Amino acid sequence: MSSGTIFYITTLLVYGGVDVVACLGLSLQFGTAGITNFGFIIYQAAGAYVAAVLSLPRDTANGGFQTYVLGLHLAFPLPWIGGAVAGGLLAIPAGLVVRRSLRPDFAGVSMLVTAVILNTVVDNFVPLFNGAAGVALVPSPLGNLFNPQSLKWQWMYSGIALFMCIVVLLVIRLITESPYGRSLRAMREDETAAKAVGKNTDRMRMTVLITGGAVAGLSGAILVGFINLWAPSAWTYPETIVLIAAVIIGGRGNHYGAILGAALVPLGFLEATRFIPAFGPAGLVPALEWIVTGLLILVFLWFRPQGVIPERRHRLARSLPAQAAAAVSGAAELATGPARGQ
Amino acid sequence: MDIVIASVGFGLVTASVLAIASVAFTMQFGITDVLNLSFGGVMIASAFIAYVVNNAGVNIWIGVLVAGVAGAIISYLINRFVLTPFKRRNTSPIGMVIVTLALGLILENLVLAVAGPNNVSYAMNSGPTLAVGAFELTALQIGMIALSLIIAGAIHALLRLTRLGKAMRATSCNAGLARASGIRTERVIASTWLITGALCGISGAAFAMNSGSFGSSSAELFLVVIIASVFVGGVGQPYGAMLGALLLGLVTEVSAAFITPDYKEVIAFIILLGVMALRPQGLIARATV
């Protein structure tokens, strides 16, 4: 294989890893807990920015051609941890707004609006993260170990990205397969019933928003360490729609669906169009990509709302007849199952 | 001080555009129960159709009418072929929002695919300027304010004086009960999409006139201001939306004179968050629509 091909493969692996991590976080919120977070991309953005300014030297370095806050020049893995923490912290105000919202669709819209506005603010307010130009020359993690331009580093970084996918998958599985995960599904199916059996749904929602935010922040940190650049154009609000499309198409509420969705939509679909010869005026192909993404969402919601891999039925009450067990919703499961206080 | 007085003029024009859009958005929600995030896409698609007509040499005010017809047709079709089928399947409100979001993405990028990435502007004559001290309005701007007032009056007459308006208010209040009383709610909803779609198209063209030039994604930030004025007035309430539009139009333009125009929408957003946190039902508590 030529080194060009290898660079392409490792790039795909890292992008795929980032998309899988992000989709797992979104699937926890959207699939398992039923929280539709239209602003999911801002948590990835926060993680990327914070990881960038934690690993970059002060902005007076490199001739001071860009301005940004902090610039602590920390060693790997501290910037990644910082990115995840930033994503988690940013979820707290969102959780407070969601709590006050009259309806879940109002909450979703408020998060979308927040994503649009934060993008505008970061775009215009240059001292924060260098405005529309974005922060550049972000150091590659472990760049002191191997030369970041070398194939060794590329393989190492894709290995780390895939390792992070597995770690995130295991952590999220731990949450969703526990009694707490059952409570989350109960909240998704029937919030009133979940409240009636003593679940604090406000707190559960906040926890899920923070966890998902941290996972998204981590995905941003992994991405920015690889592409070394992060700008507002990388996280406009339709980027969230791509991730939502991935989770809907793959199958919400199950991890393999989220992984498959990440491989199919952001990676598979958007990479495949790279090999179509360019036609028409500039910008036509990306516009068509967005149109197809929108159509895919509609088609899947209509013909196969459960996605390619449907959510596995969570059976608890073995004593019930199989048919009844299949019919019980999360809330009923909770009532018959060993309901423990959270 | 002069700049503040001048910005009040801009504020009134923006408020006029905003009022047309907000009334349409809030009626769509109140009567059809859909929080329509494809609104910005329909606005821009209609504004672009008006551009095509205008570019062929037709007066811009006729272009505004064309945009209204285009908006009505697009919105009617969206309701007939996408929203109603999804509603019949008992799609949850948040599911409907995802559907409209996907529709908005499709519309916006259709405009991008047809019109290309460059901004376009209407050929229009802003006419003589009326000036009282520092307060200045062009004839075109006065025309836009007048258009908005006419539409507000028409909506008031529709809701209060016609059978359709009464049926709309009943559907908004309680769709099930309205159906039980013999109101054909599906027809009412279809008419609502036609009427609000026309307003959406008109507001799109007016928005494009007001902002000078526009591109496929120009309405994204304006949708934030629309949503803010809708929430300020209380979601689903046409009169509240008019009030919210007046407030937000003035506040955003006057703040632009004080700070920078870059943060107009940020001000609207802060107001939106404040309302959502402190008074989620809107400034006017829900009465009958």
Side-chain angles (χ1 to χ4, degrees):
Chain A
M1 269 193 293
S2 71
S3 62
T5 319
I6 298 178
F7 269 107
Y8 184 59
I9 291 173
T10 51
T11 305
L12 279 192
L13 285 175
V14 175
Y15 282 8
V18 168
D19 289 330
V20 165
V21 170
C23 282
L24 283 170
L26 184 66
S27 172
L28 171 70
Q29 296 184 344
F30 178 58
T32 308
I35 305 166
T36 312
N37 186 351
F38 289 131
F40 193 74
I41 201 70
I42 62 176
Y43 303 99
Q44 188 179 55
Y49 276 125
V50 168
V53 297
L54 288 182
S55 56
L56 275 163
R58 298 216 40 103
D59 59 0
T60 44
N62 298 314
F65 77 100
Q66 48 183 356
T67 53
Y68 46 82
V69 292
L70 296 174
L72 297 183
H73 206 33
L74 296 177
F76 177 81
L78 292 174
W80 284 21
I81 297 170
V85 170
L89 287 179
L90 190 62
I92 295 176
L96 294 176
V97 172
V98 171
R99 190 182 199 145
R100 291 284 299 176
S101 293
L102 298 178
R103 302 177 21 151
D105 48 350
F106 290 8
V109 168
S110 74
M111 290 196 261
L112 177 79
V113 168
T114 309
V116 173
I117 289 297
L118 271 188
N119 194 285
T120 312
V121 171
V122 174
D123 201 82
N124 287 310
F125 188 61
V126 179
L128 188 59
F129 296 122
N130 204 33
V135 284
L137 297 181
V138 180
S140 307
L142 301 176
N144 49 352
L145 221 58
F146 306 112
N147 175 7
Q149 304 301 322
S150 68
L151 288 177
K152 256 189 192 156
W153 187 88
Q154 294 279 328
W155 281 119
M156 178 198 68
Y157 204 80
S158 29
I160 297 177
L162 296 184
F163 176 71
M164 292 317 294
C165 289
I166 295 169
V167 171
V168 169
L169 174 66
L170 291 179
V171 169
I172 288 189
R173 252 186 74 96
L174 211 61
I175 299 172
T176 57
E177 304 310 309
S178 67
Y180 191 72
R182 200 156 60 229
S183 308
L184 293 179
R185 283 187 291 274
M187 174 170 76
R188 175 189 70 190
E189 293 297 327
D190 190 336
E191 182 166 352
T192 316
K195 273 185 178 156
V197 291
K199 299 295 162 192
N200 186 343
T201 52
D202 281 336
R203 199 160 75 188
M204 278 159 47
R205 205 173 279 123
M206 180 66 102
T207 311
V208 167
L209 280 170
I210 293 174
T211 316
V215 170
L218 177 68
S219 77
I222 301 173
L223 186 56
V224 78
F226 189 71
I227 59 177
N228 313 112
L229 171 81
W230 194 250
S233 56
W235 52 284
T236 52
Y237 84 91
E239 301 290 338
T240 309
I241 308 181
V242 172
L243 295 177
I244 289 181
V247 172
I248 288 176
I249 290 168
R252 47 190 133 162
N254 89 72
H255 312 303
Y256 304 105
I259 295 170
L260 179 73
L264 284 180
V265 185
L267 195 66
F269 171 61
L270 295 180
E271 281 298 320
T273 51
R274 193 189 285 269
F275 297 101
I276 299 173
F279 59 93
L284 180 65
V285 172
L288 294 179
E289 279 175 9
W290 286 116
I291 292 173
V292 175
T293 307
L295 287 175
L296 275 176
I297 294 180
L298 294 183
V299 165
F300 263 84
L301 282 180
W302 184 255
F303 290 105
R304 201 169 163 84
Q306 71 273 41
V308 176
I309 308 177
E311 183 175 8
R312 182 172 61 83
R313 285 216 171 88
H314 292 267
R315 287 187 194 185
L316 246 195
R318 299 235 162 135
S319 54
L320 290 176
Q323 284 252 304
V328 284
S329 68
E333 261 178 50
L334 201 70
T336 52
R340 251 175 285 155
Q342 299 292 340
Chain B
M1 200 55 214
D2 280 0
I3 191 163
V4 177
I5 296 171
S7 68
V8 170
F10 287 126
L12 287 178
V13 181
T14 303
S16 309
V17 180
L18 202 50
I20 305 172
S22 309
V23 166
F25 189 95
T26 212
M27 281 173 69
Q28 285 177 355
F29 176 79
I31 298 165
T32 75
D33 205 33
V34 175
L35 209 53
N36 177 18
L37 291 185
S38 68
F39 198 89
V42 178
M43 271 175 78
I44 282 298
S46 314
F48 183 70
I49 291 169
Y51 166 76
V52 173
V53 176
N54 177 247
N55 207 26
V58 177
N59 182 285
I60 187 58
W61 290 105
I62 299 178
V64 170
L65 280 183
V66 171
V69 173
I73 294 172
I74 299 171
S75 301
Y76 179 82
L77 294 178
I78 284 179
N79 175 57
R80 174 75 183 71
F81 292 104
V82 185
L83 299 180
T84 304
F86 271 107
K87 277 244 138 162
R88 285 215 183 104
R89 281 207 183 165
N90 283 325
T91 307
S92 66
I94 193 78
M96 296 304 289
V97 175
I98 297 178
V99 169
T100 62
L101 197 58
L103 282 170
L105 192 68
I106 293 170
L107 276 173
E108 210 177 88
N109 283 285
L110 274 177
V111 174
L112 179 62
V114 176
N118 296 328
N119 278 13
V120 295
S121 31
Y122 294 142
M124 55 190 182
N125 184 357
S126 32
T129 304
L130 176 96
V132 183
F135 185 83
E136 288 185 354
L137 285 176
T138 63
L140 193 80
Q141 290 175 319
I142 294 173
M144 284 159 74
I145 296 174
L147 177 69
S148 177
L149 291 174
I150 293 169
I151 286 176
I155 289 295
H156 175 72
L158 168 77
L159 288 175
R160 294 287 152 189
L161 304 177
T162 64
R163 278 181 72 85
L164 176 63
K166 205 173 190 179
M168 281 175 167
R169 287 186 286 141
T171 310
S172 163
C173 203
N174 187 329
L177 200 55
R179 225 175 355 259
S181 333
I183 295 172
R184 299 186 178 192
T185 50
E186 285 222 343
R187 260 193 215 178
V188 172
I189 286 172
S191 327
T192 305
W193 282 102
L194 266 180
I195 294 166
T196 58
L199 297 188
C200 175
I202 291 172
S203 71
F207 165 72
M209 286 161 80
N210 193 29
S211 46
S213 73
F214 69 102
S216 60
S217 59
S218 295
E220 274 172 17
L221 278 171
F222 194 63
L223 187 60
V224 174
V225 189
I226 297 174
I227 292 175
S229 62
V230 165
F231 272 83
V232 165
V235 189
Q237 302 184 66
Y239 300 111
M242 292 176 198
L243 182 76
L246 183 63
L247 189 78
L248 275 152
L250 286 174
V251 169
T252 51
E253 294 297 341
V254 172
S255 74
F258 273 109
I259 318 167
T260 108
D262 292 339
Y263 295 119
K264 270 197 280 196
E265 291 83 9
V266 180
I267 304 284
F269 172 69
I270 292 168
I271 295 175
L272 172 63
L273 275 198
V275 169
M276 284 186 111
L278 302 174
R279 204 173 157 80
Q281 70 272 42
L283 290 186
I284 312 170
R286 179 157 180 112
T288 46
V289 179

